[in-house]
Structure formats: structure tokens, C-alpha cells
Amino acid sequence: MLESLENSPLYRIATPRSIALFGASNNILSMGTPILISLKAMGFDGAVYPVHPEEDEVQGLKAYRSVLDLPEAPDLAVLILPARIVPRILDECGTKGIKHAIVVSGGFRELGGEGAVLEKELREIAAAHGIRFLGPNCIGVTNPYHRLNTTLLQYLGKPGFIGMASQSGSFVTQMFHYLANFGLGFSTAFSVGNEANLDIVDCMEYLGVCPRTRVIALYIEGIKRGRAFVETAKAIVTRKPIVALYVGGSDTGRRAGLSHTGALAGPDPLYDAMFRQAGIIRARSVTELFDLCWVLGALPLPRGKRVVIQTHSGGPGTEAADFCGRAGLELPALSSETINKISPFLPKTSSVHNPVDFTFTKNLLDYFSSIPSLLLEEQNTDMLLIYLLMPMETVKSALEHLGIPEDQAGEKTSELLDEQSRSIAKALKTHNKPLVGYTYRSTQEDFIRSLMERGVPVFPSTERAVRALEALVQYSEIRGRVSDNTEHGFSKGHGGS
């Protein structure tokens, strides 16, 4: 296991100081051009050297006829060229002294025949020059903290805590907008493609010691180095969680993966067993993959599996209770001490059973400002699941009926909702117990957005919220089990950050 990022062969791929770019031109339709545009839009502040056989300038940058003409040997070469010429260009990069590369080009092993021969040639050239490379047939890397993006789409949102390794290239780029909608982002995301040189295990090792990565997401079509994969994961999950989406378990998924990256997939039961042995949490969809990464990276681990549900509507509370039961989570009764504390806030129609159904509160704002903290103080609470319904238009109307002038009610509503979200976020931080929200309203509403920006996960589905809590319990148990095995000599110990 790596001791530091600098020891990883991916270090200068993820944090290059200078880049040679092959395949960009002044034609916006050429595949390399959008990648150069993405790189510039991200604000990469190192030197970028477009290499083009005919152009003197590419997208405002001085271009060079050959990599051999560059004023230095850059840290990284990015190749977006026809497959047939990639081996020759990689060989010239090696002659220049470049030691790291990303081969974006497709047309290699995934096509079989001549493509497989070309990929073998790439491996031999890289070995001769001591080059480490991602790909071929990949999209490269995104490292928002380094202002690096070698993908076709521009990065959206802010740097985040999710590290990713994906055997599908464009999958990484398609998640930019999706994650930004939840206020999330990548720490570093790798696309490994055909894994001719560097593979998903190398990426796991890097992300395992990356200080900005709190949780690792894997998109898997097939694993080559099974033993190394399991041992690396075991070493990582004692410190940070790993969530994997495996898509090669069915016959149709297996065939798609083979034609996509040439991956050799295995049956679902085999991968289920491998993930269990490695301490990896398996996601069943893209949505679930990032739901689980969200809570595992944002929330403290629970001490147990006891959930208190807070609601002011019977239906959402009952649905949540049902999902909790199906997930093996427990709904404890509140202690008499907690019941006494929340009694002043309760109308006669409320229920102090779990779910704690307030129906309404004597003061509407108590639901967010006072009650969550009291429920988190409860000794039987390991996690709090709270139903969120606070329509801005309803609050604004209430304020107007209380005499607030219409031209001031909007601003006052925003201030009030912001204050409520701050109260919930403070309760989460103060009590250091997982708190998850769920709602049937849009997650783009101001109140929900404010909560998410303050680190409170809110899901537009009861089932997704409960699955997230289940994953927190699952990882807590995994970490305890793997740590115990390590202490008793069943797993090799490894260092890390």
C-alpha cells in the first residue's frame, strides 16, 4: 500500500505541472479540441503545449510540429489521435523524456484483431521508456483541486470529497452536472479505459491516500487483478469507505462491457463475494452509488442501527418506518426524559411513538430549530431521519398574514428558512450523529439547497434516504470487522492518511 501520493505512478497524471496535448486543433469538431477547451476553462495554470503537424497556433496557444520540438519534457502527454499512429507518438514522447500519458484514443483491444495488436505494441513501448499511462480508450482525469480536466465536458460545481475510478470514460464527465445538483463534487476522478498499463487497483491506491478523498466510488465492468483488488480494498476500508457499481453480472451487461472496454466480467455471485471479502459496499444503480458516497463522505458513523423518525405527516413517517424495517434498522422508543423535553412542543394530535409524528407544532419553526436537537440527544438515537416540508410560498403567505408587507415578505422568508437550515446543520455538528432528510418536494428549493450546502444530505425519496442510513450502518460494521481481522493477523496492515 502507498505511503504517500508522490509514490503513486498516477501522481503526475493527476497533478501535472505541464502538458503536451496531441489531437487538438482549430477545428471545434475534432475530438481533441473540446478537451483543450475544457482544460483552459478549468483554469489549469501549468504550461500546455499543443502538438500539431500543420498549425502554428491552436486555440490561442503556440503549437509545435513535433513533441521533440517542445522546450521541455512535460509531466504529462494527452493523446487524442487515430489508433494507428498512437504507438509512434507514444514512442516519440518516450524519446523526449515524458514519463506519464493519457491515451484517450479508442480502437484497441475493445475491437479485437488489429486493435489488440496495437494495444500490445503500446504496452511494449511504454515498458521500454518507463512510461505509465491511463487508457487507451479512456477520458483521462479530473482533479478540481489542481484545476485539471482532460475530459470532453467542462467541470461543473466545486471540488468535493468523492474520489472515483471508472472503467467507463464518459461516465465520469456525465456525473459533473449530476453531482453539482446536490452540492457535491469529485476530489479526483480517473477513467481507466482498457487498463493496458495502469488499472483500477492503482487508482484505488492513489485515492486511498489522497487527503481530499473521503469516500471512493468505483464503476466496474470487470476486474483483472482480483487478489490485489481485494487486498488493496481491505487496507483502505479501515480508513475510508469504498462503494462499487458492478455492471457485468448479467449476460447482457457482460457482453456490453466486453465491447466497451474489452473487460472480462464474471457472474454476480462471484463479485458479491469479492466485495464482501474486500469490505466494499455494493450499489445497485448509478443513483445509489452516489447516494451512498454522499452520506458516507458527509456524515459521522452511527454507534448502532437505531433510527428515530421525525415527521409532521403520518404517511411519510409510516413509509419511512416500513423501509427501515425492511433494511434491518431498528426504531427504538423514546425515553421518558426525551418525551418530557419535547412535550411543550406537542399538540394533542401528535404521537410520541417512533415515528415521532408532530402533526403540526405550536410554533412551526420549532420543528427545525429545537426538536431535531432534542431527538438527537436521546440516548436511544443512533441516527435521525427527518421529513422535510417547508414550501417557501407557504411561509411567505404566513408572514404576509402576520402583517409583513408583501415587498418585504420574500426577503424575510429567505432569512427565516436560512436560519432554520442553519439550526439543523448545527444539531448535526453538535451531536455528531447521522442526520438525513427526505422530501417529496424539489431538492432545488431554497430551503433544501441551503441544507445540502451546509452538509445535510436530503433525498427526494424515502427509500433512498433509508438505504443511505443502512449503508452507514453497513460501513460501520465493515470497518469494525476488517479492523478486528487485521489485529488478529487475518489481513496485512497498510499505512495511509
Side-chain angles (χ1 to χ4, degrees), residues 90 121-133 197:
L90 188 67
E121 188 177 354
L122 274 187
R123 291 198 302 270
E124 292 171 348
I125 290 170
H129 290 288
I131 296 173
R132 304 308 305 271
F133 69 90
N197 185 274

Side-chain angles (χ1 to χ4, degrees), residues 248 290 379 419:
F290 290 110
Q379 61 184 357
E419 181 182 339

Side-chain angles (χ1 to χ4, degrees), residues 111-125:
L111 296 184
E114 183 182 349
V117 173
L118 285 173
E119 188 165 312
K120 181 175 181 291
E121 188 177 354
L122 274 187
R123 291 198 302 270
E124 292 171 348
I125 290 170

